[in-house]
Amino acid sequence: MADTSIKSEFIKTNVTNVPDERGYYGEFGGRFVPETIIPALDELTVAYQEAMADPEFQQRLMNLHQTYTGRPTPVSYAKRLSEELGGAQIYLKREDLAHTGAHKINNALGQALLAQRMGKKRIIAETGAGQHGVASATASALLGLECHVYMGTVDMARQQPNVFRMKLLGTEVIPVESGTKTLKDAINEAMRDWVTNVRSSFYLLGSALGPHPYPMIVRDFQSVIGIEARQQILAQAGRLPDLAIACVGGGSNAMGLFHGFRDDNDVDLIGVEAGGHGIESGEHAARFADPRFGRPGVLQGTRSYVLQNADGQIMNTHSVSAGLDYASVGPEHAYLRETERAFYTLATDDEALAALHRLAQTEGIIAALESSHAVAEAIKRAPTMPKDSIILINLSGRGDKDLGTIMKELKIDG
Ligand SMILES: *Cc1c(COP(=O)(O)O)cnc(C)c1O
């Protein structure tokens, strides 16, 4: 049953005055794209602002969230885990319970509605692990839009079930054979398609990345997480959390959580990156934590922290979780870090797997490998904090998609 005490609120865009008019968050963000795409980005910016100012659009999104996505998702008190750790009380924002099993639907649905409003009947998306592809395919099916998802053939082979899900949902999955046949090649092909078919097509971007206005749009559509969670924790615990923790891939679920608490200066915001096999190994996706390779640069249309070698070549990344395995991070995270409003740390593959196992056995929740990075940070911190303190974790998704990896890594027999 929906928690009726939680007010659904209209999403407000840009309450914090970043990005500026040009799409910059301090020195990060912007638009590093071919000239041909600029008019499309301008058109999108105007259409987005008009939509957000239109109560009918907002009402429609809110209604779909309540009757389709399953919002508000609950906040659960992790009683047994908190007791075991013996310090802070841990609460979980349950995005794993949203339709399709993760937060990605919040953004996919918002952008698909926007596409419809703009009169664009064709959705273009790209996907690596397939999670954003599935969310886009889902939203497109719901709204009767045609959906084309670009995916590298190496990723298609690795992520068979998601390829099948997208096809079942009526989406055309377009195999990409160029380059390394993975996400960055899929992004290039999707961009090419958009430039060619910009009048009929809407590019549905999956994380708080890319050229302006995408990082802002994705943040705003995900901010429903933090807006709900703030009310829920106040109702359940009687006060705000001391810490709000989320994993950071491109950064959309973390931006969504953080946005709800940005003006609450007593709430520390912590983003957790993929530490892979550890910083020294070089096999990770911790853009902020490795001063040897992580520094400001441009990747896929935006300026942010990028893992790159001395010549500016993009580094290969590694994480046990596909959703955190990316060489760059959303520009607003770079800005929050620079201004010290948020802090960033990492969890290794092993720490995330151990956290996943522990949460499953204490709370009966199998979290996604991505989300388990945030749980790992809470496990490190909770014992050092007083018993009347509170940690809020964004559980961005459920672990069903990861069962194969989990069984192999934890050596559990099937
Ligand atoms: C895709 C994904 C992520 C990473 O993406 P962000 O944009 O950083 O949120 C995290 N958790 C889950 C469950 C995902 O599917």
Side-chain angles (χ1 to χ4, degrees):
M1 202 179 77
D3 184 348
T4 48
S5 67
I6 302 306
K7 269 193 299 168
S8 294
E9 288 180 39
F10 280 1
I11 292 164
K12 297 180 192 72
T13 181
N14 221 14
V15 286
T16 48
N17 296 321
V18 280
D20 64 19
E21 296 244 304
R22 290 160 54 244
Y24 276 86
Y25 307 80
E27 59 173 296
F28 303 106
R31 284 176 174 175
F32 296 83
V33 293
E35 272 309 309
T36 45
I37 297 185
I38 299 287
L41 294 171
D42 284 339
E43 182 196 11
L44 175 62
T45 307
V46 171
Y48 175 68
Q49 276 155 356
E50 284 172 3
M52 296 307 261
D54 178 359
E56 226 170 279
F57 178 85
Q58 292 260 9
Q59 197 68 52
R60 185 129 189 262
L61 178 59
M62 213 152 70
N63 196 263
L64 281 179
H65 276 334
Q66 283 167 2
T67 61
Y68 183 78
T69 312
R71 307 210 69 87
T73 57
V75 161
S76 304
Y77 171 42
K79 183 166 186 288
R80 294 212 324 120
L81 179 63
S82 305
E83 278 170 9
E84 236 186 60
L85 294 169
Q89 306 307 306
I90 296 174
Y91 289 78
L92 310 167
K93 176 61 173 166
R94 302 290 307 279
E95 293 302 292
D96 59 313
L97 295 178
H99 181 45
T100 68
H103 68 290
K104 286 194 171 73
I105 191 73
N106 302 329
N107 168 58
L109 210 49
Q111 286 194 44
L113 269 183
L114 185 59
Q116 200 176 47
R117 185 188 156 95
M118 292 171 76
K120 315 238 177 198
K121 298 185 167 45
R122 187 171 175 272
I123 298 289
I124 305 163
E126 80 319 271
T127 196
Q131 294 302 108
H132 173 59
V134 170
S136 301
T138 300
S140 299
L142 178 71
L143 300 181
L145 301 167
E146 183 187 320
C147 183
H148 303 262
V149 174
Y150 288 86
M151 192 170 187
T153 49
V154 167
D155 288 335
M156 283 177 74
R158 283 194 291 217
Q159 310 289 343
Q160 269 288 325
N162 278 340
V163 174
F164 184 60
R165 279 187 189 101
M166 286 185 269
K167 289 184 175 173
L168 196 56
L169 290 160
T171 280
E172 188 194 351
V173 182
I174 304 164
V176 176
E177 292 279 4
S178 55
T180 56
K181 306 176 174 47
T182 57
L183 179 62
K184 71 180 192 323
D185 314 291
I187 294 174
N188 289 338
E189 289 303 315
M191 273 289 164
R192 204 160 300 161
D193 183 328
W194 197 35
V195 174
T196 315
N197 301 297
V198 68
R199 219 168 278 152
S200 66
S201 304
F202 186 100
Y203 192 141
L204 208 169
L205 211 146
S207 190
L209 287 164
H212 177 67
Y214 281 107
M216 174 179 80
I217 291 178
V218 177
R219 171 197 72 193
D220 291 347
F221 283 142
Q222 292 293 0
S223 69
V224 67
I225 299 172
I227 292 169
E228 285 175 10
R230 189 177 188 281
Q231 295 180 55
Q232 288 167 312
I233 198 88
L234 280 173
Q236 289 178 39
R239 67 180 197 76
L240 292 174
D242 299 273
L243 291 182
I245 307 181
C247 65
V248 183
S252 69
N253 88 87
M255 275 317 308
L257 180 74
F258 292 177
H259 208 55
F261 297 96
R262 251 163 95 153
D263 299 330
D264 302 310
N265 286 324
D266 293 339
V267 181
D268 286 342
L269 309 175
I270 299 180
V272 187
E273 297 185 288
H277 294 140
I279 291 300
E280 314 73 42
S281 73
E283 296 173 1
H284 61 77
R287 290 89 17 139
F288 291 137
D290 191 341
R292 295 171 302 173
F293 303 116
R295 51 197 156 75
V298 169
L299 187 62
Q300 263 122 28
T302 190
R303 184 167 192 278
S304 184
Y305 268 68
V306 179
L307 284 169
Q308 54 193 310
N309 69 14
D311 304 327
Q313 288 276 70
I314 306 306
M315 304 276 291
N316 286 326
T317 51
H318 162 82
S319 170
V320 70
S321 63
L324 304 186
D325 194 356
Y326 188 63
S328 184
V329 56
E332 193 164 5
H333 284 292
Y335 173 74
L336 289 179
R337 178 173 179 263
E338 194 105 319
T339 54
E340 298 188 359
R341 177 61 191 97
F343 298 89
Y344 294 83
T345 181
L346 58 87
T348 63
D349 287 356
D350 288 347
E351 288 168 338
L353 282 158
L356 185 150
H357 204 194
R358 192 157 184 187
L359 187 72
Q361 305 215 336
T362 50
E363 299 297 333
I365 298 168
I366 299 172
L369 279 166
E370 291 84 0
S371 326
S372 300
H373 287 70
V375 178
E377 179 64 15
I379 288 174
K380 287 178 205 169
R381 285 182 179 253
T384 70
M385 295 168 65
K387 284 210 161 109
D388 60 354
S389 59
I390 294 174
I391 298 178
L392 175 66
I393 303 172
N394 195 26
L395 218 67
S396 54
R398 57 177 173 244
D400 302 44
K401 68 182 176 60
D402 299 320
L403 284 182
T405 311
I406 297 166
M407 281 168 65
K408 202 173 82 201
E409 298 281 341
L410 290 178
K411 302 191 171 58
I412 298 170
D413 291 333

